[in-house]
Amino acid sequence: AEGIQGYRRATSQAGPTDAYAHEPIQISRVELLNSGQPSLGVFQSGANAALRVSYTASRPVPSPDFRVEIHDANGTLCFGTVASGLLGTGETTGAGTVELALRLDLVPGCYMFSVGILKPLGRGAYDLHQKAYPFSIDADRRITGIASLSHAW
């Protein structure tokens, strides 16, 4: 499984770039967690997961927003969320971490997380790692489509 994850990282469509190196806050690390432990990126459909985003602010930054998106292998946006005010209403400086807990109700396949730190009021990005963190979904039964909706026969 480690080899598969390494291959996915090497062949992912995009990733962190130097385009945002001049910005005052940067994503320093992104971890995909399964039951609180680091994951190799393979989950069962419907599994609970967490995405931990570590950041470093080199100077005070007013109330950054955090964005997470999931795209499938074809680039289709499957999920997206933006959180404002996670760090309070004041300025952020130094190192810190935010964590998104989510249930991966997706059909089997390959996916990529995008992670960003955004400027308030939609004024652009401080840092953006687009489609940089690959993971896979597996299932015990045949499921098709994009979402794995809870159901019973």
Side-chain angles (χ1 to χ4, degrees), residues 3-133:
I4 293 170
Q5 189 66 2
Y7 172 79
R8 282 192 214 126
R9 282 202 176 99
T11 59
S12 66
Q13 295 176 4
T17 68
D18 292 333
Y20 301 97
H22 66 283
E23 295 291 350
I25 187 169
Q26 299 288 304
I27 297 167
S28 54
R29 184 174 180 175
V30 175
E31 297 173 274
L32 185 56
L33 306 173
N34 185 352
S35 300
Q37 300 299 314
S39 169
L40 293 177
V42 179
F43 293 87
Q44 284 293 311
S45 181
N48 291 316
L51 195 67
R52 183 178 296 151
V53 180
S54 300
Y55 62 86
T56 304
S58 60
R59 60 181 190 266
V61 176
S63 302
D65 296 338
F66 291 84
R67 180 179 89 182
V68 171
E69 293 179 342
I70 297 174
H71 291 84
D72 69 12
N74 296 321
T76 302
L77 178 64
C78 301
F79 171 79
T81 184
V82 175
S84 300
L86 282 179
L87 306 178
T89 56
E91 293 184 329
T92 299
T93 191
T97 302
V98 296
E99 190 168 301
L100 172 67
L102 67 164
R103 184 178 155 115
L104 296 172
D105 289 322
L106 299 166
V107 299
C110 297
Y111 297 87
M112 295 159 285
F113 277 108
S114 297
V115 179
I117 302 176
L118 308 178
K119 297 175 182 179
L121 306 173
R123 295 188 308 238
Y126 288 116
D127 198 5
L128 184 59
H129 295 190
Q130 189 69 23
K131 299 178 186 169
Y133 304 99

